[in-house]
Amino acid sequence: MVPSSNGHLWWQRGVVYQVYPRSFKDASGDGIGDLQGITSRLDYLRWLGVDAVWISPFYPSPMADFGYDITDHRGVHPRFGTLEDFDGLVAEAHRLGLRIILDYVPNHTSDEHPWFLESRSSRDDPKRDWYIWRDPASDGGPPNNWISVFGGPAWTFDAATGQYYYHAYLREQPDLNWRNPEVRVAMYDVLRFWLERGVDGFRVDALRQLVKDDRFRDNPPNPDRWPASPPYDALRPVYSTDRPEVHEAVREMSLVLDEGASPGERVLIGELYLPIERLVRYYGEGGSGVQLPMNLHLISTPWDAARLGDLIDAYEASLPQDGWPTWVLGNHDRSRIASRVGPAQARVAAMLLLTLRGTPTLYYGDELGMRDVPVPPEQVQDPYEKNVPGIGVGRDPVRTPMRWSGEDNAGFTSGSPWLPVGEESAEVNVEAQKRAPRSMLTLYRRLLSLRRSEPALTGGTYAPVKAADDLLAYAREKDERRFLVALNLGPGPRTLGDSGLGRGGRVVLSTFLDREGEAVGETLDLRGDEGLIAETTTLPGV
């Protein structure tokens, strides 16, 4: 694909929107979202102004981990529809100018996958080495001290064959052995299957888990663990994750995506919970890695102007020469942004996400200001919470149904929703916020429109601007178009002194949606919990 006139590819200019299929829109009435439901709402995503739709797993699965335990990487679970439904979704998305990105789950399968059933049938089975099997330790226990992300040992004993198998997550999710060339070939063919059906890229799940230490050494204790953290944090996973050999697999995935396509036409996104200095290695050398190693640090960094500024500066400084930034505020595994920072600051967070340099990813419902929905114990679905109860790790509250209207069940389903829609659904829904000129949805749409229309905000340079107290400020510039972004992360009014706006500066957008066109000068006054984008006549000094 040839870059656009501003020199950037679609996944660099664009905005990715994550859809969790179970919770987006139910067309069948069974209370669980499906592919036809997603298709019916693609016009909303086009109206909103996003460019690509990342769809979490919809493949055949026993649903031990709601689709991340796969029995057939090339099919559609009947609960979500059919392959024909998927083909129709892709066709409609492309007709509307939207790209489709799928979740690719290469690290593990379901324990009911035909491959694993063969693998565990006998030590001599040809597929035995497709998974990670080890003899017990000298005391008969697990081969080493590795811990499952979902709590408990990462090894399960198989009495029939007298060995343990490894699973980074649930025991129902055995890890594939990516040191086996046959496994790699089979999983690359999965990529080809979906590419032939027209998808535009993949988000690679659990990428850092893909290859394990060949000597299966014990992980060392984690000296930085805090008392209330999950059991997984007791050890530093230096031998079970982020091994050097992962990068060769990434390079091969990248080559598969380039088959029959122009360079950069398809995108590979990596889920990577890693420190920045290790995260950026996944770009590879000379574009041989993933185009977008997911930077998830906005989710975990304290909501403090100085800390956020340091994060942005460190990330920008660490990027390789051709590395394109990417930012994520929320996803299906972490608390929603409006719950983490509050509804007022969630508006400021929206402006931050959509004005930083790089490709942003939105999580469905965040554009409405949806918050975590309390789920009573008797309605808990998440296996993570069931395995590690009592420490607030459950993911159900962030996966509740999308709110389309103020009707029963928020217009998500005509049946009984699989999770509660929440008490705020009467006001926090698409229909109501479309009518409100200063709603969160209106703010997101305005931000997305501004980003799309101004090359400085999609492909321009980033430069920090000196600020104090609760203020975070930076400049974006391209082709003589200059913008100052000033964000007040506190509840009280603040002034950005010596802003460098010069004469003729004006407010382009306020998170309160009430100051457009207002003239500003050498200083910039912000109300509490306000973010501003101002068009400048002189670039702020940096």
Side-chain angles (χ1 to χ4, degrees):
M1 177 177 290
V2 177
S4 68
S5 58
N6 67 14
H8 293 96
L9 296 158
W10 70 264
W11 49 265
Q12 294 173 316
R13 303 187 310 274
V15 176
V16 178
Y17 184 100
Q18 181 189 358
V19 165
Y20 193 68
R22 294 179 69 89
S23 299
F24 195 63
K25 175 62 181 176
D26 171 26
S28 67
D30 66 356
I32 295 173
D34 45 46
L35 295 180
Q36 288 190 6
I38 296 172
T39 303
S40 72
R41 296 297 182 173
L42 290 175
D43 57 346
Y44 162 76
L45 297 180
R46 184 187 184 192
W47 170 86
L48 180 61
V50 300
D51 302 89
V53 186
W54 154 30
I55 307 175
S56 296
F58 51 79
Y59 314 111
S61 164
M63 296 293 165
D65 189 22
F66 294 114
Y68 284 93
D69 52 315
I70 297 170
T71 55
D72 180 3
H73 290 84
R74 304 186 187 200
V76 175
H77 193 297
R79 183 170 289 162
F80 296 118
T82 65
L83 275 173
E84 289 72 24
D85 291 333
F86 176 79
D87 292 339
L89 189 160
V90 172
E92 178 64 5
H94 287 172
R95 185 186 73 81
L96 294 171
L98 296 169
R99 312 279 181 157
I100 295 296
I101 297 170
L102 298 190
D103 234 317
Y104 174 56
V105 187
N107 179 68
H108 47 267
T109 69
S110 166
D111 62 350
E112 298 181 23
H113 195 293
W115 296 346
F116 187 70
L117 296 178
E118 292 181 50
S119 181
R120 78 184 309 175
S121 67
S122 164
R123 289 197 184 199
D124 299 322
D125 189 89
K127 283 192 169 58
R128 184 67 170 187
D129 191 50
W130 279 45
Y131 293 83
I132 300 172
W133 294 93
R134 301 290 290 176
D135 289 331
S138 58
D139 63 358
N144 61 24
N145 71 347
W146 295 356
I147 299 174
S148 164
V149 175
F150 285 173
W155 298 94
T156 290
F157 186 66
D158 180 64
T161 59
Q163 285 188 314
Y164 284 85
Y165 67 86
Y166 176 74
H167 48 91
Y169 296 91
L170 296 174
R171 68 178 60 195
E172 294 89 351
Q173 294 171 288
D175 279 37
L176 288 162
N177 177 16
W178 271 75
R179 293 184 182 273
N180 184 321
E182 293 179 347
V183 168
R184 291 157 86 127
V185 169
M187 290 307 297
Y188 298 152
D189 283 345
V190 170
L191 292 174
R192 294 185 179 99
F193 175 85
W194 294 106
L195 290 171
E196 289 171 2
R197 301 193 93 88
V199 308
D200 302 288
F202 299 89
R203 175 264 194 185
V204 186
D205 179 68
L207 181 54
R208 68 174 184 149
Q209 305 273 8
L210 208 57
V211 182
K212 289 74 178 175
D213 180 52
D214 57 355
R215 290 188 280 165
F216 293 92
R217 288 169 282 185
D218 280 354
N219 283 324
N222 179 9
D224 299 323
R225 184 192 184 195
W226 49 283
S229 61
Y232 180 73
D233 291 344
L235 303 176
R236 294 176 56 234
V238 296
Y239 295 118
S240 54
T241 70
D242 195 31
R243 303 303 298 164
E245 297 90 339
V246 174
H247 298 282
E248 176 61 19
V250 170
R251 186 187 69 82
E252 292 173 353
M253 290 180 200
S254 181
L255 290 173
V256 172
L257 259 67
D258 283 344
E259 292 174 359
S262 302
E265 182 176 348
R266 297 160 174 166
V267 66
L268 200 61
I269 304 170
E271 182 200 27
L272 292 158
Y273 286 95
L274 288 171
I276 285 175
E277 66 273 13
R278 288 158 56 196
L279 172 73
V280 297
R281 296 175 190 169
Y282 283 79
Y283 286 104
E285 297 182 3
S288 62
V290 294
Q291 288 100 331
L292 297 176
M294 271 187 157
N295 176 0
L296 299 156
H297 285 266
L298 280 180
I299 296 176
S300 57
T301 300
W303 199 250
D304 170 84
R307 297 286 290 274
L308 290 172
D310 289 345
L311 165 65
I312 298 166
D313 293 345
Y315 181 51
E316 285 280 350
S318 299
L319 289 167
Q321 182 175 358
D322 296 326
W324 187 252
T326 178
W327 296 95
V328 182
L329 266 180
N331 60 27
H332 61 294
D333 288 332
R334 297 293 187 269
S335 181
R336 285 190 179 273
I337 181 63
S339 288
R340 299 200 311 268
V341 304
Q345 280 295 312
R347 300 175 75 97
V348 178
M351 184 169 283
L352 173 70
L353 178 69
L354 295 175
T355 58
L356 285 172
R357 191 174 78 92
T359 301
T361 296
L362 308 182
Y363 184 50
Y364 84 94
D366 279 354
E367 76 273 21
L368 303 176
M370 282 178 60
R371 292 192 280 183
D372 299 350
V373 175
V375 177
E378 66 274 11
Q379 294 185 40
V380 166
Q381 307 277 340
D382 182 17
Y384 190 9
E385 183 168 357
K386 292 178 180 180
N387 280 16
V388 191
I391 61 172
V393 298
R395 300 169 297 176
D396 288 341
V398 308
R399 298 176 173 183
T400 56
M402 178 68 172
R403 299 167 183 167
W404 296 103
S405 70
E407 301 171 334
D408 289 345
N409 299 323
F412 163 70
T413 179
S414 59
S416 179
W418 77 287
L419 284 173
V421 298
E423 295 179 355
E424 297 178 327
S425 59
E427 299 82 26
V428 182
N429 66 71
V430 171
E431 188 177 87
Q433 292 199 13
K434 270 188 172 182
R435 297 193 300 264
R438 295 181 183 174
S439 69
M440 176 72 92
L441 180 59
T442 302
L443 173 62
Y444 264 93
R445 190 164 186 250
R446 291 281 303 277
L447 283 165
L448 287 161
S449 176
L450 181 64
R451 190 181 188 278
R452 183 185 297 273
S453 64
E454 292 291 350
L457 295 176
T458 51
T461 59
Y462 166 89
V465 172
K466 185 177 180 180
D469 300 318
D470 294 319
L471 295 182
L472 174 66
Y474 46 91
R476 302 295 311 279
E477 179 185 19
K478 185 178 177 66
D479 299 332
E480 303 303 319
R481 295 288 289 170
R482 300 163 177 173
F483 293 89
L484 173 69
V485 180
L487 308 173
N488 185 356
L489 275 65
R494 291 288 184 268
T495 297
L496 182 65
D498 192 20
S499 68
L501 286 167
R503 294 184 178 181
R506 65 181 184 90
V507 173
V508 176
L509 191 63
S510 163
T511 52
F512 290 113
L513 298 170
D514 62 354
R515 295 177 65 178
E516 184 175 343
E518 178 182 313
V520 291
E522 294 298 328
T523 61
L524 187 62
D525 294 325
L526 290 92
R527 292 165 289 185
D529 301 316
E530 182 177 29
L532 287 177
I533 303 173
E535 184 179 12
T536 73
T537 54
T538 59
L539 185 65
V542 297

